[in-house]
Amino acid sequence: MSVPANLTTDVSKQLRALLERAVELGSAITAGAAGVVDDPGSDHDEPQFVADRLTRSVIRPLKQVLEQPDGQPGTLDDAEPAHDDQNHRETAAAGAVAESSAADQQLLGLAQDATQLRALSGVAELQEAAAALQDLTIRQGSDGGEDAAAARRAGFREIMAALPSAIQSERNGPCLVTDAENVVDWLGYALPSAPQMALCRCGQSKLKPLCDGTHAEIGFSAEKDPKRVEDRQDTYVGQQVTILDNRGTCQHSGFCTDRLATAFRAGKEPFVRPSGGRMDEIIRAVRDSLRGTVVRD
Ligand code: FES
């Protein structure tokens, strides 16, 4: 059996084992044989939701990385520091809440093993799969109350405790966020977080801000659209602040023009007037423009 060039033999073997377990569990859930409990009060713990998520965000990326002959597309550097303390996993498992359904237990075990492997390897597709598994099991844990979900979250965090905080982009895929405790939306409200997250970058996920695998189905490309204006940085020098503006990378969210119309003037030339606001107002408007989902360490 061939091993993709970006993986060690051992990581490749463990990825295959995870993939096989995910496929088996997905099939069992789809067949209704694994006993996932359908909670009519929840949108996201139906068996079909779990099976679909496994297919789109766990099985697909794991297959993708294992089928790459040269480890090029979609992967990141596999040279993150190793975190090989088996005790972390055992402690985390002990901290997890007892579960009633066999499928939930299998899902939890799969998520713990994927997280354990993620702690050893920074392969992008593995991060994506671990993020989906953590999210699924934390959602299911929340059926037992907030404490149960928090215990699962803490268990995953402990497994990944040796990894540094990081944000990376999977090629033509989500933003992969490691070890962010506070994640807020564009209004500053806290969002549920997990130690490994995959945030939608294609804009088409139905689980925003989380990636749900849609990017792979729509052939999302992170390359710049050739129809967009070319990069050109304009410099506007003010007394307190110099503003740099690049129409070629602006996402046209409208935050700057909405929040500080005296400095960022829609439809007027020059568009930027650095004397149109106090320095703190300008800085806030620019920061807000960059916000979608914001991750704070
Ligand atoms: S990046 Fe995955 S669904 Fe958008």
Side-chain angles (χ1 to χ4, degrees):
M1 191 169 285
S2 67
V3 177
N6 62 328
L7 303 176
T8 63
T9 307
D10 188 50
V11 168
S12 175
K13 214 162 112 188
Q14 292 188 63
L15 284 171
R16 280 185 206 287
L18 285 176
L19 173 60
E20 281 165 19
R21 285 167 61 192
V23 168
E24 201 176 308
L25 181 58
S27 304
I29 290 172
T30 301
V36 173
V37 178
D38 188 2
D39 178 358
S42 167
D43 288 338
H44 290 312
D45 59 358
E46 300 88 344
Q48 198 54 52
F49 173 79
V50 176
D52 286 350
R53 197 90 195 278
L54 281 173
T55 301
R56 303 172 81 203
S57 294
V58 179
I59 295 168
R60 191 260 314 147
L62 292 180
K63 271 190 182 164
Q64 193 173 302
V65 70
L66 286 166
E67 285 168 4
Q68 288 167 181
D70 58 1
Q72 287 304 308
T75 56
L76 294 168
D77 187 2
D78 191 26
E80 287 196 18
H83 169 43
D84 59 1
D85 187 351
Q86 180 66 17
N87 288 333
H88 279 295
R89 185 185 158 200
E90 289 166 3
T91 307
V97 171
E99 299 294 340
S100 57
S101 97
D104 187 51
Q105 286 291 350
Q106 285 178 48
L107 194 60
L108 180 58
L110 190 61
Q112 287 170 336
D113 289 346
T115 302
Q116 183 75 18
L117 187 56
R118 189 294 173 243
L120 296 169
S121 168
V123 170
E125 292 85 349
L126 172 60
Q127 292 190 48
E128 188 187 343
L133 286 165
Q134 288 185 13
D135 179 59
L136 270 174
T137 50
I138 290 170
R139 282 173 196 266
Q140 291 208 319
S142 67
D143 291 346
E146 267 313 298
D147 287 350
R152 288 188 169 188
R153 191 176 288 112
F156 294 131
R157 199 170 290 289
E158 180 147 10
I159 294 172
M160 294 172 58
L163 293 181
S165 299
I167 301 178
Q168 300 167 296
S169 296
E170 183 176 335
R171 185 170 299 173
N172 300 327
C175 288
L176 302 164
V177 181
T178 302
D179 187 35
E181 292 209 18
N182 301 310
V183 181
V184 298
D185 67 11
W186 62 95
L187 294 173
Y189 291 112
L191 293 168
S193 66
Q196 182 65 61
M197 300 181 76
L199 301 179
C200 177
R201 196 154 62 114
C202 73
Q204 300 300 315
S205 170
K206 295 191 175 55
L207 279 180
K208 285 197 211 78
L210 303 182
C211 164
D212 70 353
T214 301
H215 64 273
E217 289 158 25
I218 62 173
F220 168 65
S221 168
E223 298 300 317
K224 182 168 173 173
D225 186 336
K227 288 186 278 208
R228 287 205 59 176
V229 297
E230 286 186 18
D231 283 348
R232 194 193 76 198
Q233 183 171 281
D234 295 322
T235 303
Y236 300 92
V237 181
Q239 284 197 332
Q240 291 186 303
V241 67
T242 294
I243 301 173
L244 306 177
D245 180 42
N246 184 345
R247 302 283 83 200
T249 57
C250 175
Q251 62 178 335
H252 303 297
S253 61
F255 279 114
C256 65
T257 48
D258 287 352
R259 299 199 177 173
L260 197 56
T262 48
F264 301 99
R265 309 177 312 155
K268 295 195 178 145
E269 286 297 335
F271 168 59
V272 178
R273 192 165 148 259
S275 59
R278 294 195 316 263
M279 184 165 69
D280 61 309
E281 291 175 325
I282 290 173
I283 290 172
R284 195 175 313 122
V286 171
R287 280 204 179 129
D288 287 349
S289 300
L290 299 173
R291 274 179 160 179
T293 296
V294 180
V295 180
R296 290 180 182 148
D297 289 331

